[in-house]
Every structure is written in C-alpha cells, then in structure tokens.
Amino acid sequence: MLVAKNIYKSYSSNGIKNLVLKNISIEINSSDFVCIVGRSGSGKSTLINVLSTLLKPDEGTILYNNIDITSLSEKELNNLRLKDFSIVFQFHHLMPYLTAIENVLLPFMSNFKPVTKKQYEKAKEALAKVGLAGKENRLPGQLSGGEQQRVAIARAIVKSPKVLFADEPTGSLDKANGDEVIKILHNLNDEGIAVVMVTHEINYAKNCSKVIEMEDGIIKSIN
Ligand SMILES: Nc1ncnc2c1ncn2[C@@H]1O[C@H](COP(=O)(O)OP(=O)(O)OP(=O)(O)O)[C@@H](O)[C@H]1O
C-alpha cells in the first residue's frame, strides 16, 4: 500500500547540509503495525514525517496505492491527509477551549460547513472507541494526560483513515497510560487501519508486524 524507495532527506542550516535519511526503502501493507525504533537522532521522526507527507524527501519515491505522493500538489496532499492519512504526535495538540468532542470534530470543519448529525455521531463513536464515552463535553484541562492523548487519537481516526502515523504517542505518558494507548492502536490495527509508530519503548515493538531499526539515517534491520 505504501512503498518508499531510495529516500534521501537532508536539513540545511548555515549553508551546511546534514544528510539524515540515506537511501531508505520500505514497504508497508494495509494490515501492518510498523514500529520504527533506534537511538535518538537516528532519523526516526524524519522518516515518519517523510512517509506521512509532512516533509518532502530530497530524492526517492513514495508510492501510495501506486501513486507517487512525492509529486502531489499541496492541495492534493491536503486531501490525502484529510482522507487517508492521519497523524498523532507525542503532545496531543488539543484546542484547550474546545470540549473533547469539539476537538474530535475539527477534521470535519475544514470546509466551513456546519457539522452534521452523522459527523457528530462519528465523533462520539471515535471517543467511545478510545474509552472516553461519557466524557465528550469535558475540556482538555478536565481530562488526564492519557485521556487527552486518547482524544487526539479519536480526532485522528474520526474520518476513518487508512494509515495512522504516530510519533512517540506514549512519550509524555506514564506506563499505565502508555500501555492503554498502545492497546488502542492495536485495536485500531485489528479493525483494518495500518499503523506506523515511532517509539523509544522497545517493549512496545514486540507485538508489531514489522520493526524497523534506524541507525544514523539508514535502516539497520527490518524484522
Ligand atoms: N528541522 C530540523 N532542522 C535541522 N536538523 C534537524 C531537524 N530535525 C531534525 N534534525 C536533525 O536530524 C537528525 C535526525 O533527527 P530526528 O528527529 O529524525 O531523529 P530521531 O531518531 O527521531 O530522534 P529522537 O529519538 O531524539 O526524537 C538529528 O541529527 C537532528 O538534529
């Protein structure tokens, strides 16, 4: 479904080019739960950002259902991100003055039309899926850190994406809340969403269908 071929990515600052991804090739299937692991600075976040289209690679192709998404226009990329790809970060990035359900409804608001009853029901369903039924009308500040992250996951899945990218989704959580988030991601994967996750927590990589180990910008191993 997602095939990255010969990806190179560098950052430039003060005229100095830092090559961070060096000839990366990977294949992600629709049923995969992929974990990207590796030392700090090995290029994990850069890789997930390139795969999820947040960053453009310098070289290489990324085929999504046989379409090269590296050559899409910004408008086409936005469509892809709204429809098929979704992203969860280490920090939840919720709007503090909107309730949980209003935050989850945000992806429906990109066309400035009023939210429909069906969309509201979908948002409620997404919150129930992450174990937050009954807490729809709480503000983020009235939820625990783990619950806030689960609202962010509900927001990411409300439009039924095909691929969910998660960059250190448990990074700011304690073990119990981190475990809960991982369980939710596995449930979503069982329901048919491909998951691509960066994690420092080697235990969380154990139940993944693919573990990609990064080292200094190259893939050290794929298991
Ligand atoms: N926006 C940027 N501009 C310049 N250099 C960057 C930028 N983002 C990352 N880098 C550099 O690219 C390299 C890889 O960073 P990246 O964040 O992808 O690694 P990582 O494996 O995710 O690290 P961590 O586990 O610490 O989050 C690092 O040397 C980092 O300093």
XYZ file of all heavy atoms in Angstrom, residues 11-13 18 20 38-47 167-168 198 200, ligand 1:
169
model
N 18.694 18.177 6.020
C 18.345 19.505 6.528
C 19.545 20.393 6.274
O 20.697 19.947 6.400
C 18.080 19.473 8.037
C 16.922 18.596 8.460
C 17.142 17.359 9.060
C 15.599 19.015 8.290
C 16.080 16.555 9.467
C 14.538 18.221 8.692
C 14.783 16.992 9.275
O 13.736 16.203 9.679
N 19.270 21.649 5.933
C 20.382 22.578 5.735
C 20.280 23.722 6.713
O 19.197 24.281 6.898
C 20.364 23.147 4.316
O 20.592 22.107 3.409
N 21.372 24.036 7.364
C 21.390 25.273 8.148
C 22.782 25.887 8.071
O 23.789 25.175 8.081
C 20.966 25.021 9.602
O 21.834 24.126 10.214
N 22.990 18.531 6.263
C 23.069 17.353 7.143
C 22.175 16.262 6.550
O 20.952 16.378 6.583
C 22.614 17.765 8.551
C 22.628 16.594 9.518
O 23.244 15.570 9.238
N 21.951 16.743 10.642
N 20.183 13.180 6.614
C 19.593 12.482 7.752
C 18.984 11.127 7.365
O 19.050 10.179 8.124
C 18.541 13.396 8.423
C 17.735 12.651 9.470
C 19.237 14.577 9.083
N 15.111 3.026 17.340
C 16.501 3.440 17.103
C 16.894 4.534 18.063
O 16.036 5.137 18.727
N 18.206 4.783 18.125
C 18.727 5.796 19.058
C 18.215 7.186 18.725
O 17.827 7.455 17.589
C 20.252 5.826 18.966
C 20.890 4.617 19.561
C 22.234 4.991 20.208
N 22.870 3.756 20.623
C 23.965 3.270 20.057
N 24.571 3.943 19.107
N 24.476 2.123 20.470
N 18.312 8.061 19.706
C 17.978 9.465 19.498
C 18.856 10.025 18.382
O 20.067 9.786 18.362
C 18.225 10.210 20.811
O 17.881 11.536 20.642
N 18.208 10.715 17.433
C 18.970 11.328 16.343
C 19.209 10.401 15.167
O 19.848 10.801 14.184
N 18.676 9.180 15.223
C 18.931 8.234 14.124
C 18.065 8.504 12.897
O 18.302 7.920 11.836
C 18.731 6.792 14.608
O 17.431 6.622 15.131
N 17.054 9.368 13.050
C 16.253 9.749 11.888
C 14.821 9.222 11.899
O 14.112 9.311 10.894
N 14.366 8.737 13.058
C 13.024 8.134 13.142
C 11.917 9.141 12.813
O 11.036 8.863 11.999
C 12.785 7.570 14.560
C 13.814 6.574 15.019
C 13.495 6.033 16.391
C 13.537 7.053 17.510
N 14.865 7.649 17.746
N 11.965 10.309 13.479
C 10.899 11.300 13.255
C 10.958 11.818 11.827
O 9.912 12.037 11.188
C 11.048 12.479 14.217
O 10.776 12.047 15.515
N 12.161 11.999 11.322
C 12.291 12.475 9.938
C 11.653 11.456 8.997
O 10.910 11.828 8.073
C 13.776 12.694 9.580
O 14.336 13.576 10.558
C 13.936 13.289 8.199
N 11.895 10.177 9.265
C 11.329 9.141 8.395
C 9.803 9.143 8.449
O 9.138 9.130 7.404
C 11.886 7.764 8.805
C 11.319 6.563 8.039
C 11.557 6.709 6.533
C 11.930 5.255 8.534
N 3.949 9.469 16.154
C 5.347 9.750 16.515
C 5.450 9.850 18.030
O 4.997 10.830 18.624
C 5.800 11.055 15.849
C 7.312 11.246 15.984
O 7.967 10.426 16.663
O 7.823 12.214 15.404
N 6.006 8.833 18.649
C 6.156 8.775 20.116
C 4.836 9.062 20.827
O 4.774 9.948 21.702
C 7.189 9.808 20.582
C 8.581 9.541 20.102
C 9.368 8.622 21.033
O 8.785 8.130 22.009
O 10.538 8.393 20.747
N 6.578 5.544 15.738
C 7.938 5.716 16.263
C 7.869 5.523 17.768
O 6.984 6.078 18.420
C 8.467 7.139 15.952
C 9.726 7.437 16.761
C 8.745 7.298 14.468
N 10.413 4.819 21.504
C 11.676 4.553 22.189
C 11.556 3.297 23.037
O 12.538 2.769 23.529
C 12.004 5.720 23.149
C 12.819 6.781 22.505
N 12.344 8.044 22.302
C 14.067 6.766 22.005
C 13.273 8.770 21.710
N 14.332 8.015 21.521
N 14.200 20.705 11.416
C 15.464 20.286 11.511
N 16.479 21.059 11.079
C 17.761 20.640 11.137
N 18.130 19.428 11.608
C 17.158 18.618 12.060
C 15.784 18.998 12.032
N 15.044 17.974 12.528
C 15.921 17.014 12.856
N 17.188 17.382 12.573
C 18.403 16.561 12.771
O 18.228 15.353 12.049
C 18.731 14.248 12.796
C 17.632 13.221 12.967
O 16.597 13.796 13.731
P 15.245 13.019 14.034
O 14.380 13.921 14.853
O 14.675 12.486 12.786
O 15.788 11.794 14.917
P 15.033 10.843 15.924
O 15.619 9.485 15.721
O 13.566 10.973 15.753
O 15.476 11.432 17.321
P 14.693 11.438 18.735
O 14.540 9.997 19.114
O 15.625 12.175 19.626
O 13.391 12.135 18.537
C 19.270 14.817 14.094
O 20.652 14.968 13.956
C 18.594 16.159 14.212
O 19.395 17.066 14.899
